[in-house]
Amino acid sequence: MTVVTKKEYESLTEEKAILYAKRLELFPKDAELECREIGDGNLNYVFHIKELESGKGIILKQALPYAKVVGESWPLTLKRALIEAKALQKHGEFAVGLVPKVYAVDEELAITVMEDLSHLTIAREGLIRLEAYPKLASHIGEYLAQTLFHTSDFALHPFEKKKLVSEFSNPELCKITEDLIFTDPFFDHETNDFEPSLREAVAAIWSNEPLKLEVAKLKKSFLTEAEALLHGDLHTGSIFASETETKVIDPEFAFYGPVGFDVGLFLANLIVQTITRDGEQREVILHHIAETWDVFSAEFSKLWDTKAVESYKDTKGFKAYVLEKVFQDTLGFAGCELIRRTIGLAHVKDLDGIEDGEKRTVSKKQALLLGEVFILKRREINSIQAVIELLEELHK
Ligand code: SR1
Ligand code: MG
């Protein structure tokens, strides 16, 4: 991997991105290149650069020094670009074929150059259009098991693990999650954003002390439990997919945190789809939810049996205890994600895109209710089948 350094930061345009790509010599010298900015995330520019003759392309991602979703008034560290590149590489060691290859990293310009994924679709967009991704759940289950097991104390020497914890210290991006997922939506905070029809439901959340106590406990886990190198923002907008391929992108929020956080965020974003779908299309997503957990837990368990270095690995009940804790955390974090995606700063198109105002309000109220149930009842819901039954029950 090339590491380019010693320049002043400037944000790229499509023209400058082409010049930049030429300098990297990833294309023949006289190649005619075309560039399009394709990013629709909250924080970065994403340029797709393609050689016209061969159709060969690369993705050039540049972090902006502020949050695009808010504007220049919200400055954001550029260090996140390096964290992202390193996380792609670390996760790529274990989740082979499930993350893009990194070709070059430029610390000063906060640029990561990576494999072209433009033949794939952002999973959120495709799911909204009811496209089928038969491999999505098994691939993400595998990705979660491989990345989370192999970066945990169960797989690593304690010195190596602690070195990674310090290398992936990501306080600024973690603070965004602490605020936007765990704090602001549960208080009358200025970052919140919800439609007037939800005011009563939102006020009920703000005054629900038992709920806030459970969210406080989940936030404490997020702040303190350095279990594994997380992706940190594993929603369906961070995944490229097709019928046969899945690639996890955008780990700029990567840090050492609780395993259930990544699992919970992904499941919450599938759960949103169960709210917006009916009939057979809904069944497809329920199946994805069960399959994700089943593949994750089976693979994690297999890795534990074959590779764990922990002295207590064969102590009866320990593996089951670890997986049970991950499951409860998963539900709790999923609940927080459902609530923040409905009333917090960063929404999802799945819900906001529902054109019929009444239907949109009903769907958003369901998301809030599910969020509350998952947070409050996470210790009682003891299997993925129970989650599916709950989702079926609430849709009747
Ligand atoms: C200001 S950033 C808002 C959200 O976008 C990112 O993708 C994360 O989900 C963050 O919470
Ligand atoms: Mg992102």
Side-chain angles (χ1 to χ4, degrees):
M1 177 183 73
T2 320
V3 179
V4 190
T5 48
K6 302 271 175 291
K7 273 175 267 56
E8 285 267 296
Y9 180 87
E10 61 164 340
S11 58
L12 295 185
T13 57
E14 289 175 346
E15 293 70 33
K16 283 183 184 164
I18 289 184
L19 294 175
Y20 187 90
K22 288 203 160 171
R23 281 203 302 274
L24 284 178
E25 298 181 1
L26 292 169
F27 296 100
K29 267 206 170 58
D30 52 352
E32 217 185 311
L33 302 182
E34 172 189 88
C35 176
R36 244 170 9 103
E37 204 281 311
I38 55 166
D40 70 347
N42 292 322
L43 307 174
N44 308 293
Y45 279 147
V46 181
F47 298 98
H48 176 221
I49 302 171
K50 191 170 84 175
E51 183 189 359
L52 287 180
E53 198 180 304
S54 65
K56 194 183 138 216
I58 56 167
I59 295 292
L60 194 157
K61 177 169 174 181
Q62 184 177 41
L64 290 167
Y66 56 87
K68 204 163 81 178
V69 68
V70 176
E72 298 194 22
S73 61
W74 187 338
L76 261 192
T77 177
L78 293 173
K79 277 189 234 142
R80 67 189 197 273
L82 192 58
I83 292 262
E84 169 167 343
K86 284 185 179 174
L88 283 174
Q89 288 168 319
K90 182 48 74 185
H91 284 161
E93 285 175 28
F94 313 114
V96 178
L98 296 173
V99 296
K101 290 187 196 78
V102 175
Y103 299 141
V105 177
D106 182 330
E107 258 192 271
E108 269 66 27
L109 292 182
I111 286 172
T112 310
V113 182
M114 62 190 115
E115 185 184 348
D116 185 6
L117 303 175
S118 62
H119 60 295
L120 305 176
T121 307
I122 287 289
R124 185 184 305 288
E125 306 292 335
L127 289 169
I128 290 172
R129 293 195 297 265
L130 304 181
E131 279 168 15
Y133 298 118
K135 295 282 182 195
L136 179 68
S138 62
H139 282 163
I140 296 299
E142 174 80 22
Y143 165 87
L144 289 165
Q146 293 292 343
T147 57
L148 298 170
F149 176 82
H150 280 108
T151 58
S152 76
D153 282 296
F154 304 124
L156 297 174
H157 185 280
F159 294 168
E160 199 185 336
K161 189 257 184 166
K162 285 172 185 75
K163 192 166 158 260
L164 287 173
V165 173
S166 111
E167 206 177 303
F168 284 95
S169 162
N170 197 357
E172 293 91 342
L173 279 277
C174 283
K175 175 76 166 63
I176 293 179
T177 301
E178 287 146 27
D179 292 344
L180 296 188
I181 299 190
F182 293 108
T183 309
D184 300 356
F186 300 92
F187 294 86
D188 185 359
H189 198 279
E190 61 186 10
T191 58
N192 290 327
D193 175 16
F194 54 86
E195 29 204 319
S197 59
L198 293 178
R199 173 148 287 281
E200 222 177 288
V202 173
I205 288 178
W206 293 343
S207 61
N208 187 337
E209 288 302 312
L211 178 73
K212 288 167 85 165
L213 173 60
E214 294 308 315
V215 175
K217 292 178 192 171
L218 288 159
K219 181 178 176 185
K220 178 175 175 286
S221 298
F222 182 84
L223 288 165
T224 59
E225 292 175 12
E227 292 180 338
L229 177 62
L230 307 187
H231 176 284
D233 194 24
L234 190 60
H235 56 87
T236 47
S238 296
I239 299 167
F240 268 115
S242 71
E243 276 197 19
T244 54
E245 267 184 280
T246 309
K247 301 271 183 188
V248 177
I249 58 164
D250 264 7
E252 64 201 310
F253 284 76
F255 83 112
Y256 260 80
V259 165
F261 187 76
D262 274 359
V263 190
L265 253 60
F266 179 64
L267 291 190
N269 283 269
L270 289 182
I271 289 168
V272 167
Q273 276 291 311
T274 71
I275 295 173
T276 62
R277 294 181 179 209
D278 288 306
E280 263 177 46
Q281 290 295 345
R282 192 160 187 275
E283 290 299 318
V284 171
I285 302 296
L286 292 174
H287 184 76
H288 282 347
I289 292 171
E291 194 180 9
T292 303
W293 177 261
D294 288 343
V295 171
F296 162 72
S297 52
E299 282 301 310
F300 193 93
S301 176
K302 200 157 93 193
L303 290 166
W304 179 292
D305 293 343
T306 52
K307 291 189 163 178
V309 294
E310 166 58 53
S311 309
Y312 288 98
K313 83 178 185 87
D314 294 321
T315 300
K316 206 161 172 262
F318 187 43
K319 182 175 72 175
Y321 161 81
V322 168
L323 278 167
E324 201 177 303
K325 157 88 165 63
V326 173
F327 188 68
Q328 287 175 8
D329 288 354
T330 293
L331 298 187
F333 294 133
C336 296
E337 171 76 353
L338 282 165
I339 291 176
R340 76 95 172 213
R341 290 296 191 185
T342 311
I343 63 172
L345 174 88
H347 286 206
V348 287
K349 257 193 219 165
D350 319 48
L351 292 173
D352 278 8
I354 302 173
E355 277 171 23
D356 180 321
E358 214 168 299
K359 194 163 176 238
R360 194 171 60 247
T361 300
V362 171
S363 298
K364 288 189 174 184
K365 282 187 179 165
Q366 273 192 22
L368 294 179
L369 178 65
L370 279 171
E372 287 176 50
V373 171
F374 284 132
I375 293 167
L376 287 168
K377 306 255 181 247
R378 65 189 188 284
R379 295 182 198 88
E380 291 147 52
I381 308 169
N382 52 19
S383 68
I384 199 66
Q385 211 36 52
V387 171
I388 303 299
E389 279 159 25
L390 191 108
L391 292 170
E392 275 166 350
E393 191 60 34
L394 279 173
H395 208 68
K396 273 182 189 155

